[in-house]
Amino acid sequence: MRETRRALAETLSRIGSLIGDGESRDDVLDVEQLSKESGVPRDVVRMLLDGEEPPAEDITDRIVRRIVHLRETRLRPDGTRHSYDEIAASYGASRASLSNLVNSRRKTPSPQTPSRQALSEQVPSEQVPSQQTGERRPARSGGPLASTQAGIETFFFGQPNGWLSAEPQASLDNALQSVLHGLEGGAADPMARLRSTHGLRELAARAPQLAEEELQLVTDWIDTILQRRNAQRVRGSGSDSSHTEGH
């Protein structure tokens, strides 16, 4: 597996080389969406994008924080959160064991530097493929959180993939792959570039959260583009008809 810092730097460099004239990285990278996809806090995403080192984080605190993040961002179709009962039952655990784990770690301040035990738990004893990129990430096979981590990842992603414990650099690099692929495809497909650069799918997903005025602005913008395209087609069709009649 590529060294995480280097992999992230290479991905950002590639994205930078594909950004079009008149655009900046901020036009292409949505920090909010990257945070949602990676489980990395927004301020840490910004630090990593600027080439800074993220703050130290205890491995157990990271796992618990991302469990909470998944419940808040991967919702049921009706927009409600999955219950601890539902999640724990999927891998044969009790609601109490999962909720106690989350609540106990959320009440305890995270140390500035990982403990020796936490550091030892980060040593990978096996690796599993990432669901999105196929890249292999560390997965913990020992320790009290192993079955919990595997069970929760299977519940949300369909298989254990190391998402809960992955280092911030690896998590962000994985989330950036969809942006990179969109930019690479945009060279041949302008609509793909538009979707990637301006996040039309993200805008559609967030529509219920937009204020009425904001939603109207987005709608008007899209209508303007469609009207211009239709007008161009009409002019082109009229020109073709005149040319035919003249002959």
Side-chain angles (χ1 to χ4, degrees), residues 9-192:
E10 290 175 356
T11 298
L12 289 173
S13 176
R14 180 61 179 154
I15 288 174
S17 70
L18 292 170
I19 293 176
D21 295 337
E23 295 177 332
S24 68
R25 195 174 67 180
D26 290 340
D27 296 323
V28 174
L29 301 182
D30 184 337
V31 171
E32 183 76 26
Q33 185 67 18
L34 289 173
S35 176
K36 175 183 176 180
E37 294 300 322
S38 66
V40 178
R42 290 187 297 272
D43 56 339
V44 178
V45 169
R46 294 188 184 94
M47 292 176 64
L48 292 172
L49 292 177
D50 290 337
E52 301 177 20
E53 285 292 314
E57 183 178 31
D58 180 90
I59 186 68
T60 302
D61 289 343
R62 180 190 302 161
I63 291 173
V64 169
R65 178 177 57 73
R66 290 184 180 177
I67 292 172
V68 174
H69 178 85
L70 284 174
R71 286 192 71 229
E72 293 176 347
T73 59
R74 272 67 168 181
L75 304 175
R76 295 190 183 110
D78 64 0
T80 61
R81 291 183 297 181
H82 293 280
S83 68
Y84 285 128
D85 278 314
E86 181 183 5
I87 299 170
S90 72
Y91 60 94
S94 66
R95 178 194 184 282
S97 65
L98 180 55
S99 61
N100 288 342
L101 168 67
V102 171
N103 292 331
S104 64
R105 299 301 293 195
R106 294 181 77 177
K107 293 176 182 178
T108 304
S110 175
Q112 293 300 311
T113 56
S115 66
R116 181 173 299 178
Q117 178 184 1
L119 286 171
S120 66
E121 290 179 342
Q122 293 185 59
V123 178
S125 57
E126 63 173 319
Q127 295 184 332
V128 293
S130 161
Q131 183 186 30
Q132 294 183 7
T133 66
E135 201 170 294
R136 300 181 74 79
R137 291 186 188 161
R140 298 172 349 106
S141 61
L145 281 181
S147 60
T148 299
Q149 178 179 347
I152 292 174
E153 289 170 353
T154 300
F155 181 86
F156 284 102
F157 300 110
Q159 64 178 3
N161 62 0
W163 192 91
L164 289 173
S165 61
E167 293 182 4
Q169 294 93 334
S171 297
L172 181 57
D173 183 55
N174 197 51
L176 284 167
Q177 297 309 306
S178 60
V179 178
L180 177 58
H181 295 159
L183 290 172
E184 290 174 334
D189 183 356
M191 184 54 71

Side-chain angles (χ1 to χ4, degrees), residues 157-232:
F157 300 110
Q159 64 178 3
N161 62 0
W163 192 91
L164 289 173
S165 61
E167 293 182 4
Q169 294 93 334
S171 297
L172 181 57
D173 183 55
N174 197 51
L176 284 167
Q177 297 309 306
S178 60
V179 178
L180 177 58
H181 295 159
L183 290 172
E184 290 174 334
D189 183 356
M191 184 54 71
R193 177 67 180 277
L194 181 65
R195 288 195 299 264
S196 174
T197 302
H198 298 286
L200 293 184
R201 283 174 294 184
E202 286 76 13
L203 282 173
R206 295 179 192 176
Q209 304 173 16
L210 295 175
E212 184 175 350
E213 292 181 358
E214 295 172 328
L215 186 58
Q216 187 61 50
L217 286 172
V218 173
T219 303
D220 290 345
W221 173 64
I222 295 175
D223 286 343
T224 299
I225 292 175
L226 293 176
Q227 288 169 5
R228 288 178 180 175
R229 186 174 64 179
N230 290 335
Q232 289 172 349

